[in-house]
Amino acid sequence: MSNLKEICGGLPLDPLPPNRGRDPSVPHAPIRTPNLTAEEERLALRNALRYFPPSHHATLAPEFAQELRQYGHIYMYRFCPTLHMRAYPIDQYPCRTRQAASIMLMIMNNLDPAVAQFPQELVTYGGNGQVFSNWAQFRLVMHYLSEMTEEQTLVMYSGHPMGLFPSLPSSPRAIITNGMVIPNYSSREQYEKMFALGVSMYGQMTAGSYCYIGPQGIVHGTMLTVLNAGRRYLGSGDLSGRVFVTSGLGGMSGAQAKAAVIAGCIGVIAEVDEAPLRKRHEQGWLMEVTSNIEHCIKCIREAKRSKTPLSLGYHGNIVDLWERLLLEYERTGELLVDLGSDQTSLHNPYNGGYYPVQLSFRQANQLMSTDPNRFRTMVQESLRRHIKAINKLSDAGMFFWDYGNAFLLEAQRAGAEVEKVGGGATEFRYPSYVQHIMGDIFSLGFGPFRWVCTSGNPQDLAVTDNIAATVLEEIGANVTDHIRQQYNDNIRWIREAGKHKMVVGSQARILYSDQRGRVCIALAINQAIADGRVSAPVVISRDHHDVSGTDSPFRETSNVYDGSAFCADMAVQNFVGDAFRGATWVALHNGGGVGWGEVMNGGFGLLLDGSEEAAKRARLMLNWDVSNGVARRCWSGNSNAYETIQRTMEEHRQLRVTMPFPVQDEHVLDRALQG
């Protein structure tokens, strides 16, 4: 408790903490190359020193300047706390309101070294998904939250705490915006400069909204994607003996190995960096690891023959693996792969998100900072080779999809053959997983609902797991077959989740549910807190990657075909609507998931404390949080969404949505346009 008091005491200035620099025992973010002019360097330094009284400037200025030149950003390592960063039980946080304590808990979970990708650079996942821009911001935020009353709101501008402002008890306790840049200036190059200057920040999705729960969230989403890909492409929900080849074992992509095994198939995942590979193996998420490509091919053959579920990590470049699988097919006529995708961080292709096949991992890390232009050229050459092998295997019968990581978008920019003849602006030779697999689920109102037990007690998680499964079983009895299948996948997941050792960091759980399921689960958990069956409050949230939260033309809204895929009204409305319907905190970001300037997304956190007030907030907010997106998808012409919103209007008399009339006779358009 005394340690938590210490980090809530504001900036330690008298005396300054010793400058320990970077901790060599944890992974670190790649060096950034913002290419600042001398004048911009001066501005970055001036901006960083704003947090400190002038009496400390002579000490801090030289080390901040060194960080800027050495790492491309001022992280203020001196102020990185020494206490173990994790989600402490909620009653240990010094504060005046539990709502503030819940935010503190979630922030510290995001920065837990077991959860965060680069904890000392405040990066939670995705290579550059920041919680804050520097450690001074972290300490000020914790201080403000410890002092806050229920008549104040913390205002966050891209990592910077603007301060506590008077508000109402019904208002959110924190309003977070990240990367709200004027559209014409929202380019990658401008971002690197703005981040180095300390004036804007890339919060990804759940990094900058303090709601990341470790890779469990994406394990579940990946399992659903792989199961539904099998149903769609292979005509079967049984994936035994089927091979899924992909890449990436870092923050988000680390989930692929575990998801493949739970779905019952053989997952082969390439990864160039040994650290995440080792981490996933130690966690038991990867069953085997090899750096020998021949051994890798042999393992695939054996697992395919015996139909044994397997997660195999190949320590090497994914392009080498695809080319080797192609060679095997050309030599023997045997296609060893059924399903393929990619989860390298291509929203961040030139700063550690993608490693070109021509270079070793070490060479690539060196070249990206010493000769960024040459590195860019090599990434693009590698992407062209990457696609060439995939195209040939796909012609032979493999089914490939884009995982919404900007893989096909960057491949297209590199000149690779991914064009879809006659396709729209968001369509490529291969569908995105939203267009073919998850989009239908979103349109039914299903998405990644999650909760965190703030006691830190695994027993509370077990009780909430049982509540969620029971609720879905009860309401799943009276739904259509299509919806029941989704409920059943999630009941199977939740009943088995405890066995799969999913928890990393906080005691958290995720499942996909529709509007009715989310509301019923939240109310049932709130009642269990009131009854004492759950020992402490529960925070509910979701991934932004959801029905309503995200406008992303190459991912979440890639199956919106009325021309509005590039409009962001839905995400902004989502953020505002959640705020006044009772969310404890809300966040709006530029750039989550597929890259800066490519997407707008909104998220929330809501504290359930067993009170009637919490139940009222949950009911109001969760109904809106789903219906907003279903209504938008309905208006764009999606038939699943049309049926879903119609059913929802019958259940909720106060809901009235503008419904579209379809054009039934295309000749009407032809005649009008010819005339």
Side-chain angles (χ1 to χ4, degrees):
M1 180 73 159
S2 60
N3 279 345
L4 286 172
K5 268 198 175 132
E6 185 266 315
I7 61 164
C8 293
L11 288 169
L13 300 174
D14 189 21
L16 287 172
N19 184 14
R20 296 180 176 82
R22 302 211 318 180
D23 177 355
S25 73
V26 295
H28 289 284
I31 292 165
R32 296 176 172 278
T33 51
N35 296 321
L36 301 184
T37 63
E39 211 39 57
E40 286 165 339
E41 279 190 337
R42 195 178 180 86
L43 183 58
L45 200 51
R46 185 194 305 281
N47 287 348
L49 292 170
R50 286 185 286 196
Y51 289 101
F52 307 93
S55 54
H56 290 300
H57 289 185
T59 306
L60 297 175
E63 73 187 51
F64 288 174
Q66 189 191 349
E67 283 183 19
L68 183 62
R69 287 178 171 161
Q70 200 171 344
Y71 307 121
H73 187 72
I74 300 169
Y75 295 105
M76 307 186 186
Y77 291 113
R78 179 191 285 268
F79 297 95
C80 180
T82 52
L83 97 159
H84 177 53
M85 196 70 73
R86 68 178 179 87
Y88 290 86
I90 193 167
D91 53 13
Q92 292 186 20
Y93 289 92
C95 62
R96 296 178 180 181
T97 161
R98 270 188 157 168
Q99 291 185 42
S102 70
I103 303 173
M104 294 156 100
L105 180 151
M106 298 293 279
I107 287 171
M108 289 187 71
N109 186 62
N110 264 17
L111 293 169
D112 179 340
V115 174
Q117 190 179 9
F118 305 124
Q120 281 206 307
E121 287 76 44
L122 303 114
V123 170
T124 300
Y125 66 90
N128 60 350
Q130 303 284 148
V131 185
F132 302 108
S133 183
N134 60 54
W135 285 105
Q137 293 174 347
F138 167 81
R139 287 182 179 267
L140 281 175
V141 166
M142 296 301 276
H143 176 63
Y144 281 135
L145 289 169
S146 70
E147 300 268 294
M148 169 192 284
T149 72
E150 292 201 355
E151 294 192 338
Q152 289 172 305
T153 292
L154 173 64
V155 174
M156 297 295 305
Y157 276 31
S158 288
H160 169 67
M162 195 53 78
L164 292 175
F165 291 79
S167 61
L168 299 167
S170 59
S171 306
R173 297 281 71 84
I175 302 272
I176 305 157
T177 52
N178 284 310
M180 292 295 110
V181 171
I182 307 298
N184 273 358
Y185 303 90
S186 190
S187 68
R188 270 191 197 136
E189 292 69 28
Q190 292 273 26
Y191 167 69
E192 289 298 340
K193 281 200 186 235
M194 284 187 251
F195 182 60
L197 291 174
V199 295
S200 197
M201 190 182 92
Y202 185 73
Q204 271 274 3
M205 290 184 156
T206 49
S209 65
Y210 321 147
C211 290
Y212 190 61
I213 59 165
Q216 176 186 175
I218 196 84
V219 171
H220 180 50
T222 308
M223 180 204 78
L224 289 181
T225 304
V226 173
L227 275 180
N228 284 300
R231 288 171 186 143
R232 170 149 193 156
Y233 300 130
L234 307 173
S236 171
D238 176 13
L239 292 177
S240 53
R242 301 295 204 161
V243 177
F244 170 48
V245 172
T246 179
S247 62
L249 283 164
M252 301 293 274
S253 57
Q256 297 184 106
K258 191 79 165 171
V261 171
I262 298 172
C265 67
I266 298 144
V268 186
I269 304 96
E271 171 57 65
V272 289
D273 183 357
E274 200 180 351
L277 199 76
R278 215 173 29 239
K279 186 175 176 179
R280 298 302 170 214
H281 193 239
E282 283 163 10
Q283 284 172 338
W285 291 31
L286 260 185
M287 291 156 73
E288 286 183 40
V289 173
T290 181
S291 54
N292 182 318
I293 205 156
E294 297 311 316
H295 181 65
C296 185
I297 297 294
K298 187 167 164 256
C299 288
I300 294 172
R301 265 214 173 83
E302 283 168 9
K304 209 170 159 61
R305 195 176 302 123
S306 63
K307 297 194 170 182
T308 314
L310 171 70
S311 52
L312 173 64
Y314 168 60
H315 183 209
N317 197 293
I318 182 61
V319 181
D320 285 328
L321 181 58
W322 282 125
E323 289 179 343
R324 182 66 188 78
L325 286 163
L326 177 62
L327 182 67
E328 199 63 23
Y329 172 70
E330 287 170 346
R331 274 187 194 158
T332 67
E334 188 181 9
L335 184 64
L336 289 176
V337 51
D338 302 281
L339 300 169
S341 194
D342 183 273
Q343 263 202 45
T344 44
S345 295
L346 269 152
H347 68 276
N348 180 29
Y350 308 119
N351 199 31
Y354 181 89
Y355 284 83
V357 66
Q358 311 92 307
L359 301 170
S360 71
F361 182 61
R362 188 175 286 134
Q363 287 169 333
N365 277 329
Q366 202 173 355
L367 192 66
M368 75 177 75
S369 58
T370 57
D371 192 347
N373 288 336
R374 182 153 172 256
F375 183 74
R376 178 184 288 256
T377 303
M378 294 185 92
V379 164
Q380 294 189 325
E381 274 172 23
S382 182
L383 280 167
R384 291 195 291 273
R385 266 175 70 178
H386 199 149
I387 288 292
K388 196 174 178 182
I390 287 168
N391 285 350
K392 288 183 175 173
L393 286 163
S394 159
D395 290 344
M398 172 188 76
F399 293 93
F400 186 88
W401 72 86
D402 180 273
Y403 227 126
N405 57 337
F407 174 62
L408 294 180
L409 183 62
E410 285 303 328
Q412 182 188 51
R413 287 169 178 165
E417 290 177 35
V418 291
E419 192 182 334
K420 179 180 179 179
V421 181
T426 63
E427 293 178 284
F428 296 98
R429 176 173 181 155
Y430 303 105
S432 90
Y433 75 126
V434 173
Q435 285 168 330
H436 266 198
I437 303 164
M438 300 306 274
D440 283 351
I441 295 173
F442 286 163
S443 297
L444 292 169
F446 280 83
F449 179 68
R450 45 173 73 156
W451 63 93
V452 173
C453 297
T454 67
S455 63
N457 185 345
Q459 182 53 36
D460 278 349
L461 186 61
V463 172
T464 57
D465 277 351
N466 191 46
I467 288 169
T470 307
V471 164
L472 292 185
E473 281 160 0
E474 283 169 5
I475 62 179
N478 303 308
V479 293
T480 65
D481 290 348
H482 196 21
I483 292 173
R484 187 174 297 111
Q485 184 181 63
Q486 297 306 323
Y487 275 159
N488 289 344
D489 285 348
N490 283 283
I491 291 162
R492 168 183 154 189
W493 157 266
I494 209 88
R495 290 282 184 216
E496 294 194 0
K499 296 179 205 166
H500 290 296
K501 297 191 176 74
M502 287 290 143
V503 171
V504 178
S506 60
Q507 293 293 320
R509 186 67 75 224
I510 183 171
L511 54 78
Y512 269 56
S513 182
D514 59 356
Q515 182 170 327
R516 192 170 166 211
R518 296 185 210 205
V519 173
C520 291
I521 291 168
L523 296 178
I525 289 175
N526 193 57
Q527 189 57 51
I529 297 163
D531 299 344
R533 285 176 289 137
V534 172
S535 70
V538 168
V539 171
I540 58 171
S541 73
R542 56 162 168 74
D543 196 342
H544 302 205
H545 170 60
D546 193 15
V547 184
S548 296
T550 300
D551 283 300
S552 180
F554 296 102
R555 195 162 82 179
E556 284 79 2
T557 41
S558 58
N559 66 333
V560 167
Y561 299 117
D562 68 346
S564 71
F566 292 88
C567 301
D569 301 77
M570 178 176 75
V572 177
Q573 287 283 0
N574 185 262
F575 161 81
V576 176
D578 283 354
F580 66 72
R581 285 179 179 86
T584 308
W585 71 96
V586 288
L588 184 69
H589 305 230
N590 166 12
V594 295
W596 186 258
E598 304 284 1
V599 47
M600 294 292 284
N601 63 90
F604 76 85
L606 174 64
L607 186 70
L608 299 175
D609 59 6
S611 65
E612 188 43 53
E613 171 67 15
K616 187 177 150 190
R617 287 172 178 236
R619 198 179 282 113
L620 250 185
M621 201 212 75
L622 291 172
N623 277 314
W624 152 258
D625 192 65
V626 178
S627 275
N628 168 40
V630 180
R632 187 267 175 106
R633 290 163 193 276
C634 162
W635 186 244
S636 78
N638 185 292
S639 57
N640 275 349
Y642 189 98
E643 287 163 29
T644 304
I645 207 74
Q646 249 182 342
R647 220 174 24 251
T648 312
M649 282 193 283
E650 285 160 21
E651 289 167 18
H652 298 270
R653 290 285 166 215
Q654 284 182 295
L655 177 68
R656 292 178 64 186
V657 171
T658 309
M659 302 297 276
F661 291 104
V663 171
Q664 286 177 339
D665 180 1
E666 289 292 321
H667 296 308
V668 171
L669 303 182
D670 296 337
R671 285 196 296 274
L673 292 167
Q674 281 158 11

